[in-house]
Amino acid sequence: MIKKNNLKSHLHLYKKMLLIRRFEEKAGQLYGMGKIGGFCHLYIGQEAVVVGVDSVKKKGDQVITSYRDHGHMLSCGMDPKGVMAELTGKKNGYSKGKGGSMHMFSKSEDFYGGHGIVAAQVPIGAGLAFANKYKKNQFVCFTYYGDGAANQGQIYEAFNMASLWKLPVVFIIENNQYAMGTSIDRASSTPKLFTRGEAFDIPGRLVDGMDVLEVSKATELAASNCRRGDGPYILEMNTYRYKGHSMSDPAKYRTREEVQNIKDKKDPIENFQKHLLNEGLDEDEFKKIDKEIKEIVSEAADFALESSEPDLTDLYKDIYLDN
Ligand SMILES: Cc1ncc(C[n+]2csc(CCOP(=O)(O)OP(=O)(O)O)c2C)c(N)n1
Ligand SMILES: [Mg+2]
């Protein structure tokens, strides 16, 4: 039997992962119906990463990531209605319908985007960590990027400064094995992305990114390193994306069997459910949770579809800062 408070926190993790999965499935459907335009990159398969990291996140810690960002927003507490409304380009969305899937922000939840340029968020993450150090607060900036982004030069400039100034930043590499249609072994001189900080004296760890508790444990270690003033840390999360890179992906670069094999053996939600069942949790509890989550997602979709589009007169509003 799991201890009572452990059970509560584990169920919380399970619910968050399920919310992301169901939300993304709904986003995929709405995209197919032509209700979402532009780019849309789904996070299905990778849920344990962001939920595990956020289990360590304290109020005030920042999060910044790439365009594969819906899971990060939901996990950090942004309202599914506002996220879905933004995906559908509606004025009730987080960026008033003008940002779309890749460009949402929430100052109140310390979420700094949502960035479409591969790796561009990484120096910004180091900058947020610099601000924490400058202000002498104890906050950490969780800066996410992909295995493809890991080969971009600006990351190493950020590493140098982060290590030199001992900035409180955890670099989280979501290694989902592919950068668009290019597998990591075709693009990277070494598969060990967590060792990429060695030249800068930044410690790194490889983590099973399909296991929410492992992610949480590793993040705890990395974040305490930052809060102690010992500087940055790299966590390479070994994970997998089930869907295509974006909504237009011919998927010719991998076999169906490869994807099915991961789904069967490594699914972060199913495996965590099995773990909780083994620990004595009631099966009915899961049915209840599933229903509850489906309702939240369907309300978010209804809200988005019923909201109106931004007014044409607002086209240039909130684009430049008025002095
Ligand atoms: C500077 C830059 N180069 C190329 C692109 C086009 N592009 C968008 S996503 C992507 C692949 C990135 O893969 P990865 O970092 O592994 O992230 P994932 O999509 O797997 O989450 C590329 C090349 C871009 N957006 N920005
Ligand atoms: Mg990738």
Side-chain angles (χ1 to χ4, degrees):
M1 274 290 187
I2 338 180
K3 282 195 213 115
K4 229 179 170 184
N5 18 351
N6 261 2
L7 181 63
K8 207 169 155 215
S9 69
H10 286 180
L11 270 180
H12 182 63
L13 301 179
Y14 178 82
K15 279 186 195 176
K16 276 173 91 172
M17 290 198 288
L18 196 64
L19 172 66
I20 297 172
R21 173 87 41 111
R22 297 285 175 260
F23 182 96
E24 292 293 65
E25 287 165 354
K26 182 58 91 181
Q29 274 172 18
L30 294 183
Y31 199 95
M33 290 159 63
K35 303 290 183 193
I36 296 176
F39 285 107
C40 182
H41 309 83
L42 301 180
Y43 194 64
I44 299 180
Q46 300 180 215
E47 299 90 346
V49 177
V50 80
V51 173
V53 169
D54 280 0
S55 68
V56 172
K57 182 175 166 283
K58 295 197 159 100
K59 185 77 198 143
D61 288 341
Q62 304 96 344
V63 172
I64 189 163
T65 188
S66 71
Y67 43 83
R68 200 176 298 286
D69 55 358
H70 311 163
H72 303 69
M73 298 187 281
L74 297 175
S75 175
C76 78
M78 287 168 67
D79 184 350
K81 289 182 177 159
V83 179
M84 199 63 102
E86 189 56 44
L87 292 181
T88 51
K90 299 299 178 63
K91 72 171 166 200
N92 292 331
Y94 270 99
S95 298
K96 300 182 184 168
K98 295 188 282 184
S101 162
M102 305 195 283
H103 307 110
M104 277 183 251
F105 310 86
S106 168
K107 190 89 201 312
S108 62
E109 301 302 334
D110 302 295
F111 180 71
Y112 286 81
H115 294 265
I117 303 299
V118 168
Q121 74 277 13
V122 180
I124 302 174
L128 288 162
F130 180 87
N132 291 337
K133 174 129 190 178
Y134 188 77
K135 291 178 182 163
K136 297 192 171 58
N137 62 36
Q138 287 298 300
F139 299 135
V140 171
C141 180
F142 296 103
T143 301
Y144 292 82
Y145 57 97
D147 46 290
N151 295 316
Q152 290 285 63
Q154 56 183 312
I155 290 184
Y156 301 94
E157 298 181 37
F159 275 7
N160 183 50
M161 286 184 267
S163 182
L164 178 67
W165 294 325
K166 296 214 178 311
L167 303 181
V169 50
V170 182
F171 296 106
I172 299 158
I173 309 169
E174 296 203 59
N175 181 358
N176 61 8
Q177 318 304 323
Y178 294 95
M180 298 182 89
T182 307
S183 63
I184 174 147
D185 34 291
R186 287 176 61 215
S188 178
S189 59
T190 148
K192 296 181 182 169
L193 301 177
F194 65 98
T195 64
R196 291 273 179 101
E198 278 175 5
F200 304 91
D201 207 17
I202 305 178
R205 264 193 179 217
L206 180 63
V207 184
D208 181 353
M210 303 299 264
D211 181 334
V212 70
L213 298 181
E214 285 298 311
V215 172
S216 177
K217 233 190 287 168
T219 309
E220 184 60 59
L221 185 99
S224 351
N225 197 75
C226 290
R227 293 195 218 278
R228 261 199 319 270
D230 288 345
Y233 212 101
I234 299 169
L235 297 176
E236 177 186 348
M237 304 292 181
N238 195 13
T239 183
Y240 199 80
R241 103 170 122 66
Y242 290 2
K243 297 285 178 183
H245 166 73
S246 64
M247 303 309 288
S248 51
D249 180 343
K252 292 208 172 118
Y253 49 87
R254 60 183 183 182
T255 60
R256 280 177 187 213
E257 290 72 35
E258 178 185 307
V259 183
Q260 197 54 49
N261 190 38
I262 303 277
K263 284 184 182 172
D264 290 345
K265 298 200 173 107
K266 296 284 297 176
D267 188 76
I269 299 176
E270 277 183 24
N271 283 349
F272 197 49
Q273 185 181 20
K274 276 184 209 146
H275 170 80
L276 294 177
L277 283 169
N278 277 342
E279 298 284 346
L281 208 88
D282 196 338
E283 204 147 331
D284 286 345
E285 187 71 34
F286 290 104
K287 286 188 190 139
K288 234 169 63 194
I289 293 173
D290 205 41
K291 195 162 163 262
E292 191 185 305
I293 300 288
K294 273 187 185 141
E295 267 163 30
I296 296 174
V297 169
S298 122
E299 277 169 21
D302 290 346
F303 175 82
L305 295 175
E306 284 157 17
S307 300
S308 46
E309 291 188 350
D311 298 328
L312 260 187
T313 48
D314 285 346
L315 194 59
Y316 295 104
K317 250 199 202 152
D318 305 315
I319 305 292
Y320 296 109
L321 184 72
D322 293 328
N323 287 315

